[in-house]
Amino acid sequence: MKKVILVFSVILNVAISAYANGSNEPFKVQVSGKGQPMLFIPGATCSGEEWQSTVAHYNKKFECHVFTLAGYAGVPPMTEGPYLSKFKLALMDYIKTRKLKNVILVGHSIGGFLALNIAAEMKDGLSRVVVIDAMPFYAAAINPAAQRGFKESQAIKLLAQYNEMSDAKLKAYQLNVAKSLCADSTKWEAIATWGAQSDRKTMAYTFTEMMSDDIQDKIASINVPVLVLAAFKESPQYIGFTRSYVSGVFQKQYAKCKTCTIQVSNDARHFIMFNEPLWMLNQMDNFITKL
């Protein structure tokens, strides 16, 4: 059970567009390929580079829009929050103003949480959603009695903890997070560097905002097919942390989403695109070809 708490509690600690630069812009984006649009939103603190191999697989047949959210991985932060709400609205506006149709929306971690929010609110423009290791109410996965509702005092406390770290200590902290969430040691340095380059206030506030937001009821309004890929890697020292347990947690969280299908990985931690890329791409390919 301690492993379960560790996994879910550290998940979030980890240019072609008018949105590309500037402290008031919500993200930067890179576009490649031609065809049906696919939008890729990375996880907390991560650069859109986490999608590099995934995009290489898809941009031969799809137009791939790869985002890095403001304040993450060296992108200038927004001047003020609420951060997740602004990210969500800006992504929806991006789809609408560019008149993108039949969008396949792909999100990892906090990007998956944003994708769920967007799918629950947008009734036109989307055709499929892929959510990679994200849930509609993270806090409840740690504590079933968790209460919803943003408390700025919690964000301020977390920010103070980040601010107490020197740059070197923050990098070391992010490296430990990377080791917990990614089984591929060749990716640890990149993940840690993205985290160390991220804005501390953005990290603290986005983590707190997401942990306090419960959209389990909201996802009932999603009207497009959603594929949810949940991470699981066996840890013999944690007997209770089984594939069945992970499946049960996700099934409970997504119970009200009638268009959601959940698949659990065989041997991947949170960064499924690094740990089981072939399995992930096979799941996504099968899902997308059902269009």
Side-chain angles (χ1 to χ4, degrees), residues 137-190:
F137 190 25
Y138 271 104
I142 302 169
N143 175 16
Q147 299 294 310
R148 69 182 71 185
F150 176 73
K151 294 181 176 61
E152 188 168 20
S153 59
Q154 295 177 345
I156 292 172
K157 181 178 179 180
L158 183 56
L159 176 58
Q161 293 173 359
Y162 285 140
N163 284 337
E164 287 176 357
M165 300 182 195
S166 65
D167 290 346
K169 287 185 177 180
L170 179 62
K171 176 69 177 291
Y173 168 77
Q174 295 291 359
L175 185 59
N176 285 332
V177 171
K179 291 177 180 179
S180 297
L181 301 182
C182 181
D184 183 351
S185 61
T186 68
K187 304 297 184 181
W188 291 347
E189 178 63 23

Side-chain angles (χ1 to χ4, degrees), residues 57-107:
H57 177 79
Y58 283 112
N59 67 4
K60 298 176 182 65
K61 295 182 179 180
F62 296 87
E63 183 179 85
C64 296
H65 303 243
V66 182
F67 298 86
T68 302
L69 301 176
Y72 291 163
V75 175
M78 292 187 292
T79 54
E80 59 182 3
Y83 295 88
L84 296 189
S85 177
K86 288 186 175 181
F87 291 153
K88 176 195 68 178
L89 293 173
L91 289 162
M92 292 171 66
D93 183 65
Y94 182 91
I95 294 170
K96 292 174 182 176
T97 58
R98 283 156 182 75
K99 298 180 180 180
L100 301 179
K101 303 295 183 183
N102 299 317
V103 170
I104 301 170
L105 188 59
V106 185

Side-chain angles (χ1 to χ4, degrees), residues 21-248:
N21 292 296
S23 61
N24 290 315
E25 303 299 349
F27 46 68
K28 74 172 184 178
V29 58
Q30 292 182 315
V31 183
S32 64
K34 292 183 179 180
Q36 183 179 358
M38 293 184 73
L39 274 59
F40 294 86
I41 314 170
T45 79
C46 291
S47 165
E49 293 176 16
E50 77 168 20
W51 297 114
Q52 186 173 15
S53 61
T54 310
V55 169
H57 177 79
Y58 283 112
N59 67 4
K60 298 176 182 65
K61 295 182 179 180
F62 296 87
E63 183 179 85
C64 296
H65 303 243
V66 182
F67 298 86
T68 302
L69 301 176
Y72 291 163
V75 175
M78 292 187 292
T79 54
E80 59 182 3
Y83 295 88
L84 296 189
S85 177
K86 288 186 175 181
F87 291 153
K88 176 195 68 178
L89 293 173
L91 289 162
M92 292 171 66
D93 183 65
Y94 182 91
I95 294 170
K96 292 174 182 176
T97 58
R98 283 156 182 75
K99 298 180 180 180
L100 301 179
K101 303 295 183 183
N102 299 317
V103 170
I104 301 170
L105 188 59
V106 185
H108 170 228
S109 187
I110 204 167
F113 184 78
L114 288 167
L116 287 171
N117 266 288
I118 292 168
E121 296 184 22
M122 284 192 74
K123 301 309 174 187
D124 298 301
L126 303 182
S127 64
R128 288 283 192 274
V129 177
V130 179
V131 175
I132 297 176
D133 213 36
M135 290 182 290
F137 190 25
Y138 271 104
I142 302 169
N143 175 16
Q147 299 294 310
R148 69 182 71 185
F150 176 73
K151 294 181 176 61
E152 188 168 20
S153 59
Q154 295 177 345
I156 292 172
K157 181 178 179 180
L158 183 56
L159 176 58
Q161 293 173 359
Y162 285 140
N163 284 337
E164 287 176 357
M165 300 182 195
S166 65
D167 290 346
K169 287 185 177 180
L170 179 62
K171 176 69 177 291
Y173 168 77
Q174 295 291 359
L175 185 59
N176 285 332
V177 171
K179 291 177 180 179
S180 297
L181 301 182
C182 181
D184 183 351
S185 61
T186 68
K187 304 297 184 181
W188 291 347
E189 178 63 23
I191 296 169
T193 298
W194 296 335
Q197 292 175 341
S198 294
D199 174 63
R200 300 179 188 214
K201 183 176 181 181
T202 302
M203 288 194 295
Y205 274 72
T206 52
F207 178 86
T208 306
E209 286 174 8
M210 184 166 131
M211 290 296 286
S212 60
D213 196 359
D214 179 0
I215 61 170
Q216 291 178 100
D217 292 334
K218 184 177 180 179
I219 62 175
S221 66
I222 295 177
N223 62 1
V224 296
V226 179
L227 173 65
V228 180
L229 301 181
F232 170 72
K233 183 175 179 62
E234 186 176 7
S235 299
Q237 67 269 41
Y238 299 102
I239 299 175
F241 188 70
T242 63
R243 195 166 184 273
S244 176
Y245 175 84
V246 171
S247 178

